[in-house]
Amino acid sequence: MEEKKFDLNSFIGFILIFGILVYMLYRNQPTPEELAEQEKQKQEQVEQEKQDTSANSQVANYRDSTNVVSDSLKLEQLKGQLGSFAYSASLPSANDKQTVVETDLLKLTFSNKGGYLSEVMLKKYHNYDSIPIYIIKDGNAEFNLTFGTTDNRTLNTANLYFQPEITNNGDNTIVTMRLKASEQQYLEYRYELQPDNYMMGFSIRSQGLSNVINGSQEIDLNWGISTYRHARSISYENRYTELVYEYEDGKDDYLGQSEVTETTESDITYVAYKQHFFTSVLLSETPFKTGYLKSENLVKDEEIDTVFTKRFKAKLPLELQAGELNKQMDWYYGPSDYKILNSYDRNLDEILPLGWGIFGWINRYIFIPVFGFLSSFLPYGIAIIVLTILVRIIMSPVTYKSYLSQAKMKVIKPEIAEINEKYKDNAMKKQQETMALYGKAGVNPMAGCLPALMQLPVFYALFQFFPSAFDLRQKSFLWADDLSSYDTIAKLPFHIPFYGDHVSLFPLLASLAIFFYMRMTTGQQVASQPTQEGMPDMGKMMKVMIYISPVMMLFFFNNYASGLSLYYFVSNLITIGIMLVIKNYIIDEDKIHNKIQENKKKPKKQNKFQRKMQEMMEQAEQQKKNQKRK
């Protein structure tokens, strides 16, 4: 390796460079005058910063003390857009903040923008996924006043900012939302909440706006909502989700289940957006003169996990009084519970589909009170069974009459067959002899049908009662965890049209009970019905129905409330038991036959109707003979 040696030339070069740098630093250092000038500039910069800070503080203090925007250009722009209501947009409340108020039953969130409820939560209830029930949330509802101004503007309150204020009136909480044109001029929404009440007072009024609101243009209250799904079966829930309204001094109606339905009615006193077990209602003390209502079905495919069921809209005009608004109303956000709705004495029980006429009467005055009493001390599933037993016991005389009539018809069936054979070529004579036999034997062929017709109002009333029974919601019994929804014993890996993707046990048991019940009754009916030439074979038709009816029941009720299927299962079991008792221990066909034979020997006095029918048949027979002679 080459040995490194000291290089004198490199050392001299480094010394010269260092000397040059020292000389340059010495020559460029500031003079005393320059140092004084720099110090002066630093002092001036500090003073300027202090002045700027003081000015900013004064501006902030000014804004806080006056609560107005100091930017005159921005204020002028707002005036150009909003006219008199530019003042509301210049206030500190002109933001998207929200005000939360809670009662014992409700948690309500009011939004500064629009002044309306942005959230409504029912504190005591949860849906099938254990999520709290929200009627309004995440922008699914809208509330808006549309009106014209005297400076030719059209404003929507949903886009404007209200100033909130909360006060107390005794136990009641009052939330006031004001859309201000000035401190003394405003449009006000006033909500009055009671501690243990789903109904809240609501009013819309204005002050000092007679020269602002254009009274010659229509002022519209627009209220809409997309109803959330709360139940497991969306098809079942959607079937009972509908828009109901009251109009013309107490009449009530609903828009139905079509894809899109709309109507215009007069003198509307309330509009209800019913979501099967939960309801939103806007009520007015003085009727809206007219109203446009619309319902739209949002469930296009029941196999898809849909968030919303229906979309409801209402457009209701408001009227000025002496140039100002003053409309007294109420809001109801709560359960579709008959006891709660009926307690307000405002015809709100009509929101529930209890049935029209006698069907609704049976539900209101019999089944609802009786079931309410039973469920007050019994588990709900047991209460359904006890109610079913009571209904079947009360209807057992009707069942007995029906079975007795069929037994009588069975006894005289051979004699009717003889009449049919003897007068097979003379229909009129055959009819006369058959009616005469019925009269002598004391048999009424319609007696078997009338009891069945008498039971129809009860069956239909119960069919309407169970889907409307709020008390059954989320109440369990045996394997069913919710009697207001379908029970599930197995999930299918595919979807069967009209049936679903699950197997419910209660509908299956009810279908089996119907099958055995129909086998019993159909066999009796076939045995008792005489055959008629030229008429379809009723026996074959009834035998086909033995198999069709249970299958229809199975498909129809698989997505229905398990409480309803439980009722039909128990009801058919009890009916089968009653009929077996009647057949084996009460009715003796030999005694019936002997009784009929005794009746034949007795002279039978005809009533006016029977005499009239006899005379008409004889006249028809005589006319037929006269025609043959000609």
Side-chain angles (χ1 to χ4, degrees):
M1 180 181 293
E2 182 181 0
E3 185 181 355
K4 291 186 177 181
K5 297 181 178 179
F6 177 74
D7 187 352
L8 180 62
N9 293 331
S10 297
F11 178 75
I12 295 172
F14 281 119
I15 293 296
L16 291 174
I17 291 172
F18 178 75
I20 292 171
L21 290 174
V22 170
Y23 176 76
M24 290 178 63
L25 291 172
Y26 172 78
R27 291 289 300 176
N28 292 328
Q29 67 178 346
T31 64
E33 292 80 6
E34 290 175 340
L35 289 173
E37 183 65 26
Q38 290 178 3
E39 185 66 24
K40 182 180 179 181
Q41 290 177 356
K42 288 181 180 179
Q43 290 293 333
E44 291 177 351
Q45 184 177 358
V46 171
E47 290 296 327
Q48 183 64 40
E49 290 177 353
K50 289 181 178 179
Q51 292 177 5
D52 291 343
T53 302
S54 177
N56 290 337
S57 178
Q58 291 177 5
V59 171
N61 292 335
Y62 175 77
R63 287 177 175 172
D64 292 339
S65 63
T66 60
N67 286 332
V68 296
V69 178
S70 61
D71 191 341
S72 59
L73 177 60
K74 181 179 179 181
L75 187 57
E76 288 300 321
Q77 290 175 345
L78 290 173
K79 287 182 178 179
Q81 297 171 3
L82 306 178
S84 300
F85 290 101
Y87 180 79
S88 66
S90 68
L91 299 175
S93 58
N95 53 51
D96 292 334
K97 288 185 178 179
Q98 297 176 330
T99 301
V100 179
V101 179
E102 294 192 43
T103 68
D104 299 333
L105 305 175
L106 300 168
K107 181 181 179 182
L108 305 173
T109 303
F110 300 85
S111 175
N112 287 3
K113 188 174 184 180
Y116 178 56
L117 290 160
S118 57
E119 278 190 7
V120 174
M121 186 185 82
L122 306 186
K123 297 170 69 172
K124 291 189 174 182
Y125 303 104
H126 296 78
N127 69 5
Y128 67 103
D129 277 338
S130 300
I131 298 173
I133 293 293
Y134 283 91
I135 294 180
I136 299 176
K137 188 181 180 182
D138 297 335
N140 72 312
E142 62 181 24
F143 184 84
N144 177 48
L145 293 190
T146 303
F147 59 91
T149 62
T150 52
D151 54 358
N152 297 321
R153 289 178 173 82
T154 299
L155 299 180
N156 296 298
T157 58
N159 301 324
L160 304 178
Y161 292 96
F162 288 67
Q163 186 176 49
E165 182 181 357
I166 300 176
T167 57
N168 293 315
N169 181 13
D171 293 334
N172 296 349
T173 301
I174 298 174
V175 179
T176 303
M177 308 293 291
R178 287 180 176 175
L179 173 64
K180 293 186 173 182
S182 70
E183 284 303 314
Q184 302 302 321
Q185 295 174 292
Y186 52 81
L187 174 68
E188 177 184 271
Y189 296 162
R190 185 179 186 275
Y191 306 83
E192 184 167 359
L193 289 65
Q194 299 179 24
D196 193 22
N197 200 335
Y198 290 104
M199 186 82 73
M200 72 181 84
F202 175 65
S203 63
I204 299 175
R205 74 180 190 93
S206 64
Q207 178 174 299
L209 298 183
S210 57
N211 295 326
V212 176
I213 298 177
N214 187 349
S216 63
Q217 296 183 13
E218 192 171 74
I219 304 170
D220 291 326
L221 185 159
N222 299 284
W223 176 40
I225 190 170
S226 296
T227 54
Y228 277 114
R229 170 191 179 182
H230 297 307
R232 185 187 304 168
S233 173
I234 190 169
S235 60
Y236 184 62
E237 180 179 16
N238 203 28
R239 187 178 295 115
Y240 294 98
T241 298
E242 55 193 2
L243 190 156
V244 185
Y245 58 95
E246 183 186 59
Y247 66 108
E248 294 181 0
D249 195 24
K251 297 180 182 177
D252 59 89
D253 206 344
Y254 60 98
L255 291 189
Q257 300 293 326
S258 301
E259 288 299 314
V260 178
T261 309
E262 52 191 349
T263 187
T264 300
E265 297 290 354
S266 58
D267 295 329
I268 296 176
T269 45
Y270 73 67
V271 178
Y273 298 158
K274 179 177 175 293
Q275 302 172 234
H276 193 185
F277 284 128
F278 300 97
T279 301
S280 311
V281 190
L282 176 62
L283 307 95
S284 176
E285 294 184 4
T286 56
F288 297 97
K289 284 193 172 180
T290 59
Y292 168 77
L293 308 173
K294 182 180 180 181
S295 172
E296 179 183 1
N297 187 12
L298 301 180
V299 181
K300 306 304 179 184
D301 187 348
E302 294 179 355
E303 297 182 40
I304 299 175
D305 190 15
T306 309
V307 176
F308 301 108
T309 52
K310 284 187 173 68
R311 174 69 180 168
F312 297 133
K313 290 184 179 180
K315 182 178 179 181
L316 306 165
L318 299 178
E319 297 179 348
L320 294 176
Q321 299 175 8
E324 301 285 354
L325 283 171
N326 189 7
K327 186 71 172 177
Q328 301 295 321
M329 294 171 283
D330 294 287
W331 286 112
Y332 176 87
Y333 291 103
S336 302
D337 188 333
Y338 176 84
K339 296 186 293 295
I340 296 175
L341 293 174
N342 192 50
S343 67
Y344 293 109
D345 196 23
R346 299 183 69 172
N347 208 30
L348 294 181
D349 58 298
E350 295 293 343
I351 293 173
L352 302 178
L354 297 176
W356 54 270
I358 188 174
F359 311 115
W361 186 90
I362 293 173
N363 276 325
R364 284 179 175 85
Y365 302 110
I366 299 178
F367 290 138
I368 290 177
V370 171
F371 186 75
F373 170 74
L374 294 174
S375 60
S376 66
F377 62 91
L378 292 174
Y380 284 90
I382 301 299
I384 291 175
I385 294 174
V386 173
L387 176 66
T388 309
I389 293 172
L390 292 176
V391 170
R392 294 317 309 165
I393 291 175
I394 293 172
M395 300 301 295
S396 59
V398 178
T399 304
Y400 171 75
K401 289 286 186 182
S402 177
Y403 198 93
L404 178 62
S405 175
Q406 293 175 12
K408 289 181 178 181
M409 290 293 295
K410 180 181 178 181
V411 169
I412 65 171
K413 183 179 179 181
E415 297 181 52
I416 293 176
E418 292 179 6
I419 294 174
N420 291 337
E421 179 63 25
K422 184 176 180 179
Y423 301 103
K424 60 182 179 181
D425 296 328
N426 191 337
M428 186 66 67
K429 187 64 174 177
K430 180 170 60 177
Q431 186 69 20
Q432 289 177 344
E433 293 297 323
T434 301
M435 294 298 294
L437 175 61
Y438 288 155
K440 291 178 181 179
V443 175
N444 184 357
M446 297 300 296
C449 301
L450 291 176
L453 293 175
M454 291 173 62
Q455 295 181 70
L456 284 179
V458 176
F459 292 154
Y460 182 78
L462 285 165
F463 183 79
Q464 295 293 102
F465 166 76
F466 282 102
S468 302
F470 183 85
D471 290 340
L472 293 180
R473 185 178 181 273
Q474 296 183 347
K475 300 299 190 301
S476 61
F477 180 67
L478 298 178
W479 56 86
D481 55 5
D482 186 351
L483 288 169
S484 71
S485 183
Y486 59 80
D487 62 290
T488 304
I489 59 169
K491 290 289 291 184
L492 301 176
F494 47 83
H495 186 275
I496 301 175
F498 305 107
Y499 184 76
D501 59 356
H502 63 276
V503 178
S504 297
L505 183 55
F506 275 129
L508 186 60
L509 294 174
S511 298
L512 289 173
I514 287 177
F515 173 76
F516 289 109
Y517 167 74
M518 292 193 68
R519 284 198 65 177
M520 289 180 60
T521 57
T522 301
Q524 180 73 8
Q525 290 173 2
V526 170
S528 64
Q529 290 295 324
T531 56
Q532 299 285 344
E533 291 185 11
M535 297 293 290
D537 192 339
M538 296 301 295
K540 290 183 178 179
M541 293 177 63
M542 290 180 179
K543 288 178 181 178
V544 171
M545 290 302 297
I546 291 176
Y547 300 96
I548 293 179
S549 295
V551 173
M552 292 176 61
M553 170 77 181
L554 184 62
F555 273 76
F556 188 74
F557 283 93
N558 195 60
N559 290 297
Y560 259 66
S562 54
L564 182 61
S565 301
L566 171 62
Y567 165 79
Y568 279 111
F569 169 58
V570 176
S571 177
N572 282 291
L573 282 183
I574 295 173
T575 304
I576 291 172
I578 290 174
M579 292 187 66
L580 288 174
V581 171
I582 292 173
K583 178 181 179 181
N584 296 320
Y585 300 101
I586 298 178
I587 291 180
D588 188 334
E589 292 186 1
D590 293 333
K591 289 183 179 180
I592 292 174
H593 182 270
N594 295 333
K595 184 68 174 177
I596 289 175
Q597 297 305 318
E598 291 178 5
N599 290 338
K600 287 182 182 180
K601 298 175 183 178
K602 298 177 182 178
K604 187 69 175 177
K605 186 177 180 180
Q606 293 181 329
N607 56 36
K608 292 182 179 180
F609 176 76
Q610 290 174 328
R611 287 198 302 269
K612 188 66 177 177
M613 289 294 297
Q614 183 69 25
E615 291 173 1
M616 290 174 63
M617 293 175 68
E618 289 176 355
Q619 290 175 3
E621 182 68 18
Q622 186 62 42
Q623 289 178 359
K624 187 176 181 180
K625 291 180 178 179
N626 294 336
Q627 289 177 354
K628 287 183 178 180
R629 291 173 183 174
K630 293 180 180 180

